[in-house]
Amino acid sequence: MPILQAKQITKYFHEPETVQVLKGVDISVEQGEFLSIVGKSGCGKSTLLYILSTMDTDYEGTLNIKGEKLNGWSQNQLARFRNENLGFVFQFHFLLPEFTALRNVMMPALKLGKYSYAEIEQRAIDKLRMVEMDGFAHKMASKLSGGQQQRVAIARALINDPAIIMGDEPTGNLDKVNSQRVFEIFQELARQNHQTIITVTHDQDFAAGSDRIIVMSDGQIVRE
Amino acid sequence: MKRSLTLEIALTHLLTKRKQTVVAMLGVTFGISMFLVMISFMTGVNDFTKNLAMEEAPDIRIYNPLEIEKNTIIAKAAPDTTGNLYVVHHQRPKNVVPKLRNAIMLAQSLEAMPEVKGVAPQVATQVFFNNGPIRITGSLQGIDVKKQGELFTLARKMDAGQLIDLLGINDGVILGYGLANKMNVGIGDRLSITTSEGSILMLRVVGIFSYGLADFDNARAYATLATVQKVMQRDPSFITDLHIKMYDNSQAKAMAATISKRFGVHAEDWSTANAPLLAGESIRFAMTGIISFTLLLVAGFGIYNIMNMNIINKLKDIAILKATGFESRQIVGIFLWQSAIIGLLGGIVGLLLGYGFCVALSHTPFPGGSVVRIATMPVNFNPQHYIMGFCFGVITTVLAGFFPSLKAAKVDPVQIIRG
Ligand SMILES: Nc1ncnc2c1ncn2[C@@H]1O[C@H](COP(=O)(O)OP(=O)(O)OP(=O)(O)O)[C@@H](O)[C@H]1O
Ligand SMILES: [Mg+2]
């Protein structure tokens, strides 16, 4: 049973004029898989990823994650589902600038409320150590470099041990060294923790290193 | 845990935008403190004037009013000639004797009523006060010294001398402060009075009173019933007014009607006699209400704007929080906390500042001139006003923050994250 299964995903944008961006995409991902989605700019990769992430609910088709059929869920139900099961890494690091790195990482776990405060803090430090950012735990997010912020964002995506980690060009703003490091972290998560990774990327090396590559063109999957 | 998380985020936002937070708070602070100053001063003035007029005024006054006879004498004389039309041009008031019939008996019956605290009989007349060439008109009121002292505040309003000094000598008089000044007389001095009928009497000043209201202080004098009856050349049963004090003066209107009906006399209650004063009071209250409401509304709009701007600046944060699993009500919570905290802190500072202003105002000399004589501004310190101002302030802020917060909860994270 695949951990994520999407069938016949179709999406239109109506502004400024109606365009069909996704044309019946079928995608199925197994647990522990490290998947890359590539394709020309504007072909609909990000659009697809945000539908898979449950944040965009305005589409046709069905979406199943961890055996749950997510169509028709309310925004609040989906928010809780994301909180527990999905982790995100964005192209622009998107940390809360007024909080420390540690606080940023802790935030989704505090929201989930599954562990005590002390446990959450310890787990957050562990995740930061994993991305080699534990030395910066108490620094303000806004005072970190782009690469550092991206690694903190990855630690945040991992804090609730989500089944799936999604990234929209997570290395898009990073140099070669930092990109390589992010790649290694993702690979380790997939190999050792059996967490599923789905990333959209333009980085040839990054994609080449992953388990599976999906190539998109004009709203369709053209090659697996 | 979750609630304190939204609170923590709210606090962090407030603390990092300190300047903006303080500006928003100052709006509330200013609104509430001005509201307090306004309402404390207004009610202070209201209470002051009302007390002045009320303490000394009877709750119900019984007297013979001057009235034009509605039915003409001819109509009375031939009542059964229906269909006839009588026209009397320029009818004169008939000579009403101001004397109350059976006043002493009436007073006793009234005092027996359980609602009545006491009845003070009076003989009031217009006189000229003369001292050398000075002639001033005023009213001379003959009072039952003991009753007047018990029921009214005169004894406590004495600038010099005492009310009971009237009993010590024959033909003593207590003058209003303004009147004594104009006549240039003090305690022990003598002055003469002339009635409209022309009789003259020498009086000795035994005291000077001051209510603080020019109407009273410049034109009124008190003597014993006997003295005034003597100068009017009337017998001791001659009483013109009965002044009734009740235990509960809110019953005065109903009671006045009862008395009129039962005893067939003209009984007028306090609120009827002082209608203009009460009208002034309600106008002042309405004005206070409108101005206070406007102040709080302006503060509310300020907060609405600031919260809106705040949310526009925080769109990214909202998107991250939603993407990582925060639900709508928690997003609302974050921003509602912010306005609640602004409201609470601004409110508390506003209360302190408002209290400070009120204290300062209550020590400010009052330029009453000769109209009212009080040293400082009348300011009312009523805890209810403070509770009211605080509640209004906090409710306005929370409401002003509520709509922007709802907007924040509706932010679509996808749009923001893709840029
Ligand atoms: N909010 C929107 N309204 C209208 N059209 C949109 C909107 N967002 C995206 N599109 C269009 O949908 C198409 C797919 O966009 P999408 O962002 O998914 O592309 P992408 O494959 O991620 O490209 P890139 O590699 O440049 O990020 C594009 O043609 C884009 O112009
Ligand atoms: Mg994209």
Side-chain angles (χ1 to χ4, degrees):
Chain A
M1 170 105 177
I3 194 155
L4 181 147
Q5 191 159 40
K7 283 193 182 134
Q8 287 303 306
I9 301 291
T10 304
K11 165 95 184 170
Y12 295 89
F13 279 117
H14 300 287
E15 295 286 330
E17 61 208 30
T18 302
V19 246
Q20 188 173 11
V21 183
L22 295 177
K23 300 167 180 170
V25 174
D26 287 314
I27 192 166
S28 168
V29 189
E30 296 298 327
Q31 186 181 349
E33 223 177 348
F34 183 171
L35 174 73
S36 290
I37 303 173
V38 299
K40 277 217 284 293
S41 180
C43 69
K45 306 181 295 292
S46 298
T47 307
L48 176 64
L49 191 72
Y50 288 114
I51 288 170
L52 299 184
S53 79
T54 78
M55 279 194 267
D56 187 352
T57 52
D58 179 21
Y59 62 90
E60 286 157 34
T62 58
L63 176 62
N64 266 277
I65 298 178
K66 283 184 84 180
E68 303 268 13
K69 185 169 184 289
L70 298 175
N71 299 76
W73 283 31
S74 75
Q75 289 297 337
N76 285 342
Q77 284 173 314
L78 290 172
R80 282 194 291 272
F81 185 82
R82 283 198 293 276
N83 183 233
E84 195 166 357
N85 301 300
L86 303 179
F88 295 93
V89 185
F90 312 107
Q91 177 174 4
F92 303 98
H93 6 78
F94 279 127
L95 298 177
L96 300 176
E98 293 110 339
F99 291 84
T100 60
L102 182 63
R103 264 270 174 244
N104 266 285
V105 176
M106 290 170 72
M107 206 63 88
L110 291 171
K111 158 68 181 78
L112 184 63
K114 195 163 124 192
Y115 300 100
S116 75
Y117 187 90
E119 282 172 303
I120 291 171
E121 195 163 26
Q122 188 51 53
R123 287 171 60 84
I125 288 171
D126 291 344
K127 303 294 177 197
L128 281 171
R129 185 171 302 125
M130 203 174 150
V131 294
E132 293 168 36
M133 281 298 295
D134 48 326
F136 298 87
H138 298 287
K139 227 172 157 180
M140 277 296 160
S142 53
K143 299 273 158 64
L144 297 173
S145 78
Q148 291 171 330
Q149 290 193 37
Q150 193 63 306
R151 278 182 281 156
V152 173
I154 292 171
R156 180 181 63 193
L158 302 179
I159 186 71
N160 287 339
D161 292 330
I164 306 176
I165 295 143
M166 298 188 185
D168 190 1
E169 303 182 33
T171 58
N173 273 319
L174 301 181
D175 60 19
K176 202 84 206 116
V177 179
N178 276 311
S179 296
Q180 182 60 26
R181 194 178 273 158
V182 169
F183 175 80
E184 281 161 11
I185 293 166
F186 279 178
Q187 199 165 45
E188 190 184 323
L189 290 169
R191 297 273 146 78
Q192 288 176 12
N193 299 3
H194 292 283
Q195 284 169 291
T196 309
I197 315 281
I198 304 175
T199 56
V200 167
T201 186
H202 283 291
D203 184 335
Q204 293 297 327
D205 298 341
F206 191 99
S210 58
D211 300 342
R212 179 151 74 109
I213 301 173
I214 286 178
V215 185
M216 281 183 70
S217 174
D218 196 19
Q220 283 171 312
I221 293 177
V222 290
R223 185 152 37 89
E224 295 228 8
Chain B
M1 192 76 235
K2 271 180 209 163
R3 186 173 303 145
S4 72
L5 181 60
T6 56
L7 176 57
E8 186 204 314
I9 297 173
L11 281 175
T12 309
H13 282 181
L14 288 178
L15 286 177
T16 43
K17 285 255 182 294
R18 243 168 257 186
K19 218 192 253 166
Q20 182 193 289
T21 307
V22 168
V23 169
M25 256 181 58
L26 282 182
V28 186
T29 300
F30 183 72
I32 291 185
S33 58
M34 282 302 122
F35 164 79
L36 281 176
V37 170
M38 295 266 320
I39 200 156
S40 300
F41 184 56
M42 284 293 184
T43 54
V45 171
N46 277 351
D47 287 359
F48 171 75
T49 47
K50 200 164 152 185
N51 278 346
L52 269 187
M54 186 107 134
E55 279 180 336
E56 199 49 31
D59 295 330
I60 300 171
R61 181 176 163 224
I62 297 177
Y63 65 104
N64 272 349
L66 227 57
E67 274 173 352
I68 303 274
E69 194 67 55
K70 294 265 162 46
N71 300 315
T72 60
I73 276 275
I74 299 175
K76 266 189 192 163
D80 47 339
T81 53
T82 42
N84 289 353
L85 190 65
Y86 304 108
V87 180
V88 179
H89 289 286
H90 192 57
Q91 190 183 0
R92 301 239 169 92
K94 72 176 185 188
N95 187 14
V96 188
V97 187
K99 175 181 167 154
L100 279 176
R101 263 178 238 280
N102 292 329
I104 306 296
M105 293 256 293
L106 181 57
Q108 277 166 3
S109 323
L110 288 171
E111 281 200 316
M113 298 174 92
E115 301 92 334
V116 172
K117 191 171 165 198
V119 180
Q122 290 204 353
V123 187
T125 185
Q126 295 295 314
V127 295
F128 284 110
F129 296 93
N130 317 308
N131 185 21
I134 310 169
R135 279 162 71 90
I136 298 172
T137 53
S139 87
L140 179 64
Q141 311 204 339
I143 53 174
D144 178 329
V145 173
K146 201 169 138 280
K147 284 263 164 64
Q148 191 78 17
E150 272 168 20
L151 298 176
F152 299 96
T153 53
L154 181 55
R156 279 182 276 124
K157 302 286 180 179
M158 298 300 291
D159 268 12
Q162 280 187 311
L163 180 59
I164 48 165
D165 293 346
L166 275 180
L167 296 174
I169 61 165
N170 274 339
D171 300 339
V173 68
I174 293 175
L175 294 180
Y177 166 86
L179 189 57
N181 261 1
K182 282 196 239 170
M183 309 268 304
N184 194 24
V185 291
I187 288 191
D189 292 342
R190 293 164 69 88
L191 73 150
S192 73
I193 55 164
T194 319
T195 66
S196 53
E197 279 85 22
S199 49
I200 296 174
L201 188 67
M202 288 302 284
L203 297 174
R204 185 184 292 277
V205 179
V206 297
I208 289 170
F209 70 85
S210 158
Y211 288 121
L213 267 184
D215 276 359
F216 291 0
D217 295 346
N218 291 348
R220 196 181 272 191
Y222 292 101
T224 59
L225 283 172
T227 306
V228 182
Q229 283 158 351
K230 185 163 84 186
V231 73
M232 291 177 80
Q233 296 165 342
R234 303 284 186 172
D235 60 278
S237 72
F238 183 83
I239 300 292
T240 60
D241 292 72
L242 288 180
H243 286 184
I244 304 175
K245 266 279 180 212
M246 316 243 315
Y247 285 107
D248 174 7
N249 66 13
S250 65
Q251 305 286 319
K253 202 170 184 120
M255 189 68 181
T258 314
I259 293 172
S260 295
K261 216 158 157 198
R262 175 145 12 136
F263 300 103
V265 291
H266 181 84
E268 186 180 71
D269 73 292
W270 186 88
S271 66
T272 309
N274 291 281
L277 186 72
L278 292 175
E281 180 173 336
S282 48
I283 288 168
R284 275 197 291 271
F285 258 122
M287 263 174 51
T288 311
I290 291 168
I291 295 174
S292 310
F293 180 73
T294 313
L295 284 172
L296 288 175
L297 202 69
V298 169
F301 268 114
I303 287 173
Y304 178 82
N305 271 334
I306 287 176
M307 288 309 292
N308 256 335
M309 259 170 46
N310 188 10
I311 282 160
I312 289 167
N313 289 334
K314 286 272 174 286
L315 281 178
K316 259 188 177 182
D317 297 50
I318 296 168
I320 297 166
L321 289 170
K322 288 192 113 180
T324 56
F326 279 70
E327 293 153 45
S328 304
R329 64 189 168 87
Q330 288 160 331
I331 304 289
V332 170
I334 288 171
F335 292 96
L336 215 48
W337 266 122
Q338 297 191 32
S339 45
I341 291 167
I342 288 172
L344 285 171
L345 288 182
I348 290 168
V349 178
L351 289 186
L352 295 177
L353 199 68
Y355 179 74
F357 280 147
C358 285
V359 170
L361 197 62
S362 72
H363 287 102
T364 309
F366 186 79
S370 58
V371 184
V372 284
R373 252 182 96 223
I374 40 168
T376 56
M377 301 273 190
V379 179
N380 196 334
F381 289 91
N382 183 348
Q384 257 183 349
H385 295 156
Y386 289 75
I387 295 170
M388 210 159 79
F390 188 71
C391 290
F392 273 154
V394 173
I395 290 170
T396 322
T397 359
V398 170
L399 270 186
F402 185 66
F403 298 102
S405 305
L406 282 187
K407 217 157 69 184
K410 290 207 189 88
V411 166
D412 177 7
V414 179
Q415 293 230 329
I416 294 174
I417 288 167
R418 329 176 44 158

